[in-house]
């Protein structure tokens, strides 16, 4: 049997469905009482026809709680990148839960879904309760109240013998409370308000960091520097207004050439449109260099990174999408680039992650830009977000990406062409005004950047 459902272009954080399959296939739901097909990540636009296997109807009635659990289970079953499911029988996981666990309340169901996903040992495949899902959707629009941190937990290989690990900072939001307090990418959050983060779930930690504007939170932070200093920092939560794209132009003193500076802090649905306007503006000003600054850009909307790449690269591959069976999709340039000639320098650091790594890898492998900085974060995984019928959702790692040259950067990052130390990168200010002051001065580091 076939069921037709529409999906939008996928991205790193969110792949929105035009409605749950349960709603679109009402008659099918009646026939299959306990099974629902979750959204399938599709890396192209349009309408997709996907085949749905109809298992025999169970002899006993299936409760609403079991049905919700099965929705989450099937989302992973159909799309998860690792078809060994971390070396376990995924069917057995389902059967053991349905036969041995009492799913009598919604809280019971949520806990079993979390337990099921935890068994995959993948910090990016996780469950979102309805309010968490709404918060995530708000984050893609830039509506966040908190301390301005993107965080995650390390994989099992980076944990201690007990399997525990503290919260890891991927990137601080530029200008946010955490960045102003000196928290940097790679730092570890040991405690939030006195509670050890190694015993928290990712979303419990996220909830603890967010809160009402004006309220305070105390973090115990271990520095990623060689000193490994541990200190307590009190932060005041505020609305994090993420200015996704900012730009300016000035004349660099060492070269006497006009430089167009473009700062992309995160990738959202509006990023590509804004960057297009910026490039057109800078072209009209006859800039002779671009400085693309994606330091501490933790990613965001995958498609936005691709669209920016297409503005700068006219032909060739941008990113390869692979799963456990190998490369299965390729994103390519479309021959409609705005500028393929103006020399470009891309500034990266270990806070450059996900969609921003896709862009950096495309620019490097296509020899369109020189990458300057340090190794990027190394998040080479792509997730889709599947909304469940009660308004909750699961994020599922569905594939991994490789650079056009076939390099898998997960946990490794993009290697820079020109390497700077962390201390040197900190000397380079973020934002057009401060950057232009820096590049028009007598800083020796400017020669190294523009070499």
């Amino acid at each position: 049997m076939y069921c037709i459902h529409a999906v939008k272009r996928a991205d790193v954080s969110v792949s929105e469905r035009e409605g749950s399959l349960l709603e679109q296939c009402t008659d099918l739901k009646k026939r299959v009482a306990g099974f629902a097909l979750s959204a399938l990540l599709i890396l192209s636009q349009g309408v997709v026809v996907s085949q749905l296997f109809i298992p025999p109807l169970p002899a006993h009635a299936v409760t609403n709680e079991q049905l919700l659990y099965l929705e989450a289970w099937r989302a992973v079953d159909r799309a998860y990148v690792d078809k060994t499911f971390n070396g376990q029988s995924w069917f057995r996981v389902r059967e053991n839960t349905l036969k041995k666990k009492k799913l009598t309340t919604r809280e019971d169901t949520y806990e079993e879904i979390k337990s099921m996903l935890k068994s995959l040992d993948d910090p990016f495949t996780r469950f979102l309760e309805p309010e968490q899902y709404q918060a995530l959707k708000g984050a893609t629009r830039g509506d966040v109240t908190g301390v301005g941190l993107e965080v995650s937990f390390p994989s099992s290989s980076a944990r201690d013998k007990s399997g525990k690990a503290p919260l890891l900072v991927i990137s601080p939001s530029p200008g946010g409370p955490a960045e102003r307090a000196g928290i940097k990418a790679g730092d570890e959050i040991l405690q939030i308000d006195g509670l050890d983060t190694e015993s928290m779930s990712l979303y419990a930690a996220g909830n603890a960091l967010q809160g009402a504007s004006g309220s305070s939170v105390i973090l115990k932070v271990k520095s990623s520097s060689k000193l490994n200093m541990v200190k307590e920092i009190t932060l005041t939560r505020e609305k994090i207004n993420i200015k996704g794209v900012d730009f300016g132009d000035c004349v660099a003193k060492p070269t006497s050439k006009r430089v167009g500076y473009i700062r992309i802090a995160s990738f959202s649905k509006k990023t590509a449109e804004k960057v297009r306007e910026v490039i057109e503006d800078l072209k009209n000003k006859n800039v002779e260099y671009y400085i693309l600054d994606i330091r501490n850009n933790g990613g965001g909307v995958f498609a936005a990174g691709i669209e920016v790449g297409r503005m700068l690269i006219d032909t060739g591959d941008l990113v390869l999408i692979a799963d456990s069976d190998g490369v299965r999709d390729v994103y390519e340039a479309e021959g409609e680039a705005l500028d393929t000639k103006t020399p470009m320098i891309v500034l990266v650091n270990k806070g450059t992650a996900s969609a921003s790594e896709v862009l950096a890898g495309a620019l490097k492998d296509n020899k369109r830009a020189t990458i300057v900085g340090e190794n990027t974060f190394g998040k080479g995984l792509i997730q889709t977000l599947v909304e469940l019928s009660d308004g909750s959702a699961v994020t599922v790692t569905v594939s991994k990406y490789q650079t056009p040259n076939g390099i898998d950067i997960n946990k490794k990052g993009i290697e820079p062409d020109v390497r700077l130390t962390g201390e040197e990168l900190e000397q380079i200010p973020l934002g057009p005004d401060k950057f232009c002051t820096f590049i028009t001065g007598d800083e020796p580091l400017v020669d190294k950047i523009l070499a």
Side-chain angles (χ1 to χ4, degrees):
M1 180 175 182
Y2 292 84
C3 178
I4 298 178
H5 61 287
V7 296
K8 297 180 180 179
R9 181 178 294 279
D11 58 69
V12 174
S13 299
V14 180
S15 177
E16 297 178 345
R17 297 183 301 170
E18 295 297 331
S20 84
L21 195 63
L22 291 178
E23 295 173 351
Q24 296 175 44
C25 307
T26 304
D27 60 331
L28 180 61
K29 179 181 176 183
K30 294 177 181 178
R31 295 173 53 194
V32 188
F35 294 84
L37 178 62
S38 304
L40 182 64
L41 176 68
I42 304 297
L43 295 170
S44 59
Q45 293 178 327
V47 175
V48 181
V49 180
S50 60
Q51 190 171 18
L52 176 64
F53 170 69
I54 308 293
L57 290 173
H60 59 281
V62 178
T63 68
N64 287 333
E65 299 307 319
Q66 290 174 321
L67 178 58
L68 183 62
Y69 175 87
L70 286 167
E71 284 185 65
W73 179 89
R74 185 57 63 96
V76 177
D77 180 60
R78 282 304 180 96
Y80 192 58
V81 63
D82 175 14
K83 295 309 178 185
T84 73
F85 301 97
N86 197 29
Q88 61 185 333
S89 168
W90 198 237
F91 175 79
R92 186 63 58 193
V93 170
R94 184 193 76 177
E95 291 303 293
N96 286 342
T97 299
L98 295 180
K99 291 179 179 178
K100 299 178 181 180
K101 303 292 183 179
K102 291 184 178 181
L103 304 181
T104 56
T105 67
R106 188 53 46 95
E107 184 177 351
D108 291 339
T109 305
Y110 286 172
E111 288 304 313
E112 289 304 322
I113 292 174
K114 293 174 185 177
S115 177
M116 171 183 69
L117 299 181
K118 187 177 180 180
S119 71
L120 296 169
D121 191 30
D122 174 1
F124 301 107
T125 294
R126 53 193 186 264
F127 176 71
L128 291 76
E129 295 186 16
E131 60 274 15
Q132 295 166 341
Y133 176 39
Q134 292 302 317
L136 180 60
K137 290 199 293 185
T140 65
R141 298 188 298 265
D143 304 328
V144 181
T145 300
V147 298
L149 282 175
E150 182 174 354
V151 295
S152 184
F153 283 111
S155 62
S156 58
S157 61
R159 302 179 186 181
D160 60 25
K161 293 181 180 179
S162 69
K164 296 182 178 180
L167 204 62
L168 181 68
V169 175
I170 296 178
S171 64
S173 297
E179 187 191 56
R180 295 198 303 268
I183 296 176
K184 299 177 174 60
D187 288 355
E188 294 179 351
I189 309 298
L190 305 180
Q191 292 183 348
I192 303 174
D193 281 337
L195 299 177
D196 292 341
T197 59
E198 63 183 17
S199 61
M200 294 181 178
S201 69
L202 185 60
Y203 279 93
N207 286 341
L209 291 171
Q210 294 183 20
S213 181
S215 61
S216 297
V217 60
I218 300 174
L219 306 183
K220 179 180 281 189
V221 180
K222 181 179 179 181
S223 171
S224 59
S225 68
K226 294 179 181 179
L227 298 177
N228 286 329
M229 292 178 58
V230 176
K231 58 182 178 180
E232 285 194 349
I233 301 174
T234 299
L235 301 176
T236 301
R237 300 180 179 96
E238 62 185 49
K239 184 175 181 180
I240 308 299
N241 295 312
I242 302 173
K243 191 171 186 179
V245 180
D246 203 359
F247 75 106
D249 65 283
C250 47
V251 177
K253 189 170 184 178
T255 62
S256 298
K257 292 183 177 181
R258 182 162 294 279
V259 172
Y261 174 88
I262 306 172
R263 166 66 181 161
I264 304 179
S266 64
F267 288 98
S268 70
K269 296 176 182 178
K270 298 179 180 180
T271 299
E273 177 184 355
K274 180 61 177 177
V275 171
R276 182 177 296 277
E277 295 173 359
V278 168
I279 292 175
E280 294 285 8
D281 184 279
L282 294 176
K283 283 177 62 180
N284 290 335
K285 293 177 178 177
N286 297 315
V287 298
E288 298 168 88
Y289 277 96
Y290 290 119
I291 303 289
L292 177 61
D293 194 345
I294 51 175
R295 290 174 293 163
N296 289 340
N297 180 329
V301 177
F302 175 78
I306 296 297
E307 289 306 311
V308 172
R310 286 173 173 155
M311 296 176 198
L312 300 166
I313 300 170
D314 211 40
T315 61
D317 297 339
L318 300 180
V319 65
L320 313 179
I321 307 300
D323 58 17
S324 56
D325 296 324
V327 175
R328 64 177 176 82
D329 204 353
V330 179
Y331 278 85
E332 299 175 326
E334 296 182 337
E336 298 179 355
L338 299 177
D339 190 338
T340 63
K341 302 296 184 183
T342 306
M344 172 172 284
I345 293 163
V346 181
L347 295 176
V348 301
N349 66 357
K350 57 188 174 184
T352 302
S354 199
S356 56
E357 291 176 292
V358 169
L359 177 58
L363 293 170
K364 178 181 179 178
D365 284 5
N366 283 283
K367 302 187 184 304
R368 176 63 185 89
T370 300
I371 311 299
V372 177
E374 60 188 347
N375 278 46
T376 60
F377 184 82
K379 182 181 180 291
L381 302 174
I382 299 173
Q383 288 77 39
T384 186
L385 189 79
V386 183
E387 182 176 349
L388 305 181
S389 57
D390 74 331
S392 61
V394 288
T395 64
V396 183
T397 298
V398 292
S399 55
K400 58 184 178 180
Y401 60 72
Q402 300 173 358
T403 70
N405 287 345
I407 299 172
D408 182 354
I409 68 159
N410 195 44
K411 302 179 185 177
K412 302 173 185 176
I414 299 290
E415 290 270 357
D417 299 306
V418 177
R419 185 171 292 278
L420 302 180
T421 65
E423 291 74 17
E424 287 176 322
L425 281 165
E426 288 178 16
Q427 295 176 36
I428 306 172
L430 289 166
D433 294 337
K434 292 181 179 179
F435 183 84
C436 278
T437 299
F438 167 81
I439 206 169
T440 55
D442 294 317
E443 296 287 345
L445 190 55
V446 175
D447 291 323
K448 192 172 182 179
I449 297 171
L450 298 179

